[in-house]
């Protein structure tokens, strides 16, 4: 287990003889290309809903503050509505992490899909009893929390299933397909979550009530469109081979084996979400400060352009994850993001002006793109491929939930960071968030150094390593699916 923390121990699993000399592949050569790829699409693409429903609340928040400048903007409702989905997501991640390991990846995913559809629709139709404004805000807050539970299920059931299904694809391409149908889908959702309100606002600038309801209501389309293909899903091959289907899960042994590694993954994910979600949701605030007289649809348009920079970062990063490996790519690009963040802070006095709005958006967008090339694409890969199948859903869920806690905290702390510099309308108030973000990027890069390298067969190798560890501690692995092999003793690395 010390190979996670000891810098002298071998961390490069690409050099492990087990990944080359053992037959660890779960690929089925009898399947067609689409049969191999469709589970990756079905499991991962639902994260578009996460990106859309999280991003759209930024413009909705702005619209509600415009419609109700006293009742909404001047109350805690504004913070609650924008942040409460994160709390629900944490609950959903932990719950569905357990069910995806103990019952089924497929059915956990289907239940979360239904929750997404129902509460996206109810959120759009939020109404206070007797026309009460405060009742409207309370209803919207409650629906956003329950919606978050459905979003949470997409992580341990969807992303984990996507990672496992990618093991049946061609070696050398597995990381990119995972990234393209998980993180890239979230980022595409970010773009659409600001583009849709912009289009509707431009078309109906005097009917903002319609704008925010329709923007939320369109969130029912993504989960509904995936329901049929998810009904056709089968459990991944690695689950059939290595899940704990009989007997109790050895949590204590799993904690001893994976605990230190999980703590590192949790810390990196916390930092990433602490920075990413507030910067996305509050991007319209930056633009509004720089261009205070812009029409509302123009403000949303600039925010959409900012969010668009996530996409090239995520797409390019999906390929570098295969070329460099997830750990190395994460470390390089998060450090580059930190460097650019410090440059932005130093130049904010010039960038944060109306005449330089285009330059600000481009540089800010590159800052966000680097974050996607680093932790955005690779933290999910690290979380899903550095533990064994039997506990992967819960391992991933704990790491992802920590990230959402970071996003939740970031949304609340972000205004205080601005205030510490004198407010968002001052140069220091604009600089402080970038100083904090950049410093945390370097902390993240340092933590990533201690993680293991990941190769194309790491999922299969980890299953064998964990079974080897369990056997050495007297656990009966005969109830762990159809594959009860362990690594040859000389190739076992858990004791290092």
């Amino acid at each position: 287990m010390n190979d996670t923390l000891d810098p002298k121990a071998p961390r490069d699993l690409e050099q492990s003889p087990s990944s080359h000399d053992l037959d660890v592949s779960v690929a089925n050569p009898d399947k067609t290309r689409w049969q191999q790829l469709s589970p990756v699409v079905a499991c991962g693409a639902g994260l578009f809903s996460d990106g859309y429903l999280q991003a759209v609340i930024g413009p909705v928040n702005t619209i509600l503050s415009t419609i109700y400048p006293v009742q909404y903007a001047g109350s805690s409702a504004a913070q609650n509505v924008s942040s409460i989905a994160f709390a629900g997501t944490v609950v959903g991640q932990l719950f569905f992490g357990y069910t995806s390991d103990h019952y089924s990846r497929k059915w956990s995913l289907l239940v979360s899909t239904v929750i997404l559809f129902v509460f996206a629709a109810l959120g759009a139709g939020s109404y206070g009893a007797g026309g009460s404004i405060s009742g409207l805000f309370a209803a919207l807050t409650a629906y956003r929390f329950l919606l978050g539970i459905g979003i949470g299920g997409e992580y341990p059931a969807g992303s984990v299933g996507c990672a496992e299904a990618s093991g049946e694809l061609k070696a050398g391409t597995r990381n990119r397909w995972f990234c393209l149908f998980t993180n890239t889908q979230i980022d595409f959702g970010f773009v659409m979550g600001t583009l849709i309100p912009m289009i509707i606002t431009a078309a109906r600038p005097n009917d903002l009530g319609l704008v925010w309801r329709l923007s939320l209501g369109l969130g029912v389309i993504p989960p509904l469109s995936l329901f049929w293909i998810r009904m056709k899903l089968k459990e991944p091959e690695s689950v059939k081979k290595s899940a704990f289907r009989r007997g109790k899960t050895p949590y204590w042994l799993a904690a001893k084996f994976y605990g230190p590694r999980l703590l590192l993954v949790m810390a990196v994910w916390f930092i990433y979400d602490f920075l990413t979600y507030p910067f996305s949701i509050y991007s319209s605030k930056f633009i509004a400060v720089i261009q205070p007289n812009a029409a509302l649809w123009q403000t949303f348009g600039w925010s959409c352009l900012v969010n668009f920079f996530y996409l090239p970062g995520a797409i390019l990063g999906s390929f570098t994850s295969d070329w460099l490996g997830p750990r190395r790519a994460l470390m390089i690009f998060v450090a580059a993001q930190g460097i650019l963040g410090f440059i932005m802070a130093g130049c904010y006095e010039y960038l944060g002006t109306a005449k330089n709005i285009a330059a600000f958006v481009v540089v800010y967008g590159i800052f966000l793109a680097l974050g996607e090339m680093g932790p955005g694409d690779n933290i999910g890969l690290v979380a899903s491929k550095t533990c064994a199948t039997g506990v992967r859903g819960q391992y991933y869920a704990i790491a992802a939930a920590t990230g959402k806690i970071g996003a939740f905290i970031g949304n609340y702390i972000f205004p205080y960071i601005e205030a510490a510099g004198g407010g968002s309308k001052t140069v220091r108030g604009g600089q402080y968030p970038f100083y904090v973000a950049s410093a945390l990027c370097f902390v993240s890069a340092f933590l990533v150094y201690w993680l293991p390298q990941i190769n194309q067969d790491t999922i299969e190798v980890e299953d064998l390593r964990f079974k080897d560890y369990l056997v050495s501690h007297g656990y009966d692995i005969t109830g762990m699916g159809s594959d009860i092999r362990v690594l040859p003793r000389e190739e076992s690395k858990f004791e290092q």
Side-chain angles (χ1 to χ4, degrees):
M1 185 60 205
N2 292 337
D3 66 314
T4 304
L5 299 177
D6 183 359
K8 296 180 181 179
R11 290 187 308 277
D12 189 354
L13 296 182
E14 292 182 359
Q15 304 305 316
S16 170
S18 60
S19 66
H20 298 290
D21 300 337
L22 290 179
D23 180 17
V24 296
S25 176
V26 296
N28 184 346
D30 295 329
K31 290 185 177 180
T32 65
R33 178 70 168 172
W34 172 244
Q35 287 174 329
Q36 292 175 333
L37 189 58
S38 59
V40 177
V41 177
C43 290
L47 287 171
F48 174 89
S49 298
D50 179 15
Y52 180 86
L53 293 167
Q54 297 290 9
V56 76
I57 206 63
V60 168
N61 226 8
T62 302
I63 291 170
L64 290 175
S65 296
T66 303
I67 299 174
Y68 308 106
V70 177
Q71 303 100 314
Y72 188 79
S75 71
S76 61
Q79 257 187 340
N80 291 338
V81 168
S82 65
S83 301
I84 197 65
F86 293 126
T89 301
V90 170
V91 174
Q93 285 168 332
L94 296 176
F95 175 77
F96 286 108
Y98 179 85
T99 62
S100 67
D101 275 345
H102 285 267
Y103 299 102
S104 167
R105 304 273 200 259
K106 170 183 176 177
W107 290 105
S108 297
L109 197 56
L110 283 172
V111 171
S112 69
T113 303
V114 172
I115 293 173
L116 277 174
F117 173 79
V118 170
F119 290 104
L122 288 174
S126 297
Y127 180 77
S132 166
I133 300 300
S134 60
L136 165 64
F137 302 151
L140 182 57
T141 301
Y143 294 144
R144 290 286 299 176
F145 173 80
L146 295 169
L147 177 74
I149 294 176
I151 291 173
E154 292 289 336
Y155 285 79
S159 293
V160 165
C162 182
E164 292 164 343
S166 70
E168 299 190 49
L169 300 175
K170 181 182 177 182
T173 67
R174 293 167 183 169
N175 292 343
R176 73 188 62 168
W177 286 113
F178 175 87
C179 295
L180 288 172
F181 285 101
T182 54
N183 185 58
T184 304
Q185 296 301 310
I186 296 176
D187 292 342
F188 185 40
F190 276 149
V191 173
M192 298 305 292
T194 44
L195 178 63
I196 295 298
M198 182 202 78
I199 293 172
I200 302 173
T201 303
R204 300 294 293 271
N206 299 317
D207 196 357
L208 295 182
L210 171 68
V211 174
W212 76 262
R213 290 185 183 277
L214 186 55
S215 297
L216 289 180
L218 290 174
V220 305
I221 296 176
L224 186 62
S225 65
L226 286 172
F227 193 80
W228 183 84
I229 191 172
R230 287 180 167 181
M231 282 291 295
K232 301 292 184 179
L233 273 177
K234 295 181 180 179
E235 293 295 312
E237 291 296 324
S238 60
V239 174
K240 297 176 183 177
K241 289 184 175 184
S242 301
F244 290 100
R245 290 300 187 230
R246 288 186 286 130
K248 294 182 179 179
T249 302
Y251 284 114
W252 173 241
L253 292 176
K256 288 172 63 179
F257 194 64
Y258 287 121
R261 184 182 295 180
L262 176 58
L263 289 174
L264 288 176
V265 178
M266 289 165 62
V268 174
W269 208 325
F270 179 94
I271 292 171
Y272 169 65
D273 278 5
F274 178 85
L275 303 177
T276 298
Y277 281 92
F279 269 108
S280 173
I281 290 176
Y282 286 96
S283 61
S284 58
K285 280 193 171 184
F286 280 126
I287 306 303
V289 169
I290 297 172
Q291 275 198 325
N293 298 318
L296 192 58
W297 74 268
Q298 291 176 311
T299 300
F300 294 159
W302 284 114
S303 296
C304 180
L305 180 58
V306 167
N307 287 341
F308 175 79
F309 281 89
Y310 284 118
L311 281 174
I315 293 170
L316 181 58
S318 67
F319 289 88
T320 58
S321 291
D322 277 323
W323 299 336
L324 299 175
R327 171 177 167 269
R328 191 176 294 115
L330 200 166
M331 191 161 45
I332 290 172
F333 293 120
V334 78
Q337 185 185 30
I339 293 170
L340 183 59
F342 278 125
I343 293 173
M344 283 197 71
C347 300
Y348 190 85
E349 181 178 358
Y350 308 100
L351 289 173
T353 60
K355 67 177 182 179
N356 293 324
I357 179 66
F360 174 85
V361 168
V362 170
V363 178
Y364 184 37
I366 295 172
F367 173 80
L368 297 178
L370 287 171
E372 295 310 287
M373 292 180 70
D377 274 344
N378 294 292
I379 189 60
L381 273 169
V382 168
S384 60
K385 295 193 174 186
T386 55
C387 68
T389 297
V391 294
R392 183 171 295 120
Q394 292 159 99
Y395 178 101
Y396 192 103
I398 292 169
T402 304
K404 289 303 182 185
I405 292 171
F408 186 80
I409 294 172
N411 274 355
Y412 274 95
I413 289 181
F414 194 90
Y416 294 103
I417 295 174
E418 286 182 329
S424 59
K425 295 185 179 181
T426 67
V427 172
R428 284 185 178 274
Q431 289 175 323
Y432 275 26
F434 290 101
Y435 281 132
V436 172
S438 299
L440 288 175
C441 284
F442 285 104
V443 172
S444 183
F446 174 76
L447 294 174
V448 171
Y449 172 78
W450 303 97
L451 289 169
Q453 186 60 282
I454 297 170
N455 80 341
Q456 298 289 310
D457 295 322
T458 296
I459 282 181
E460 293 81 9
V461 173
E462 278 297 323
D463 283 344
L464 297 178
R465 292 179 68 242
F466 188 48
K467 288 174 182 177
D468 191 23
Y469 180 80
L470 295 178
V471 168
S472 71
H473 286 75
Y475 183 84
D476 180 9
I477 66 168
T478 57
M480 290 181 63
S482 61
D483 187 354
I484 59 172
R485 294 177 299 166
V486 298
L487 290 178
R489 178 56 50 189
E490 65 273 13
E491 294 177 359
S492 176
K493 294 169 62 178
F494 71 82
E495 294 179 319
Q496 295 189 38

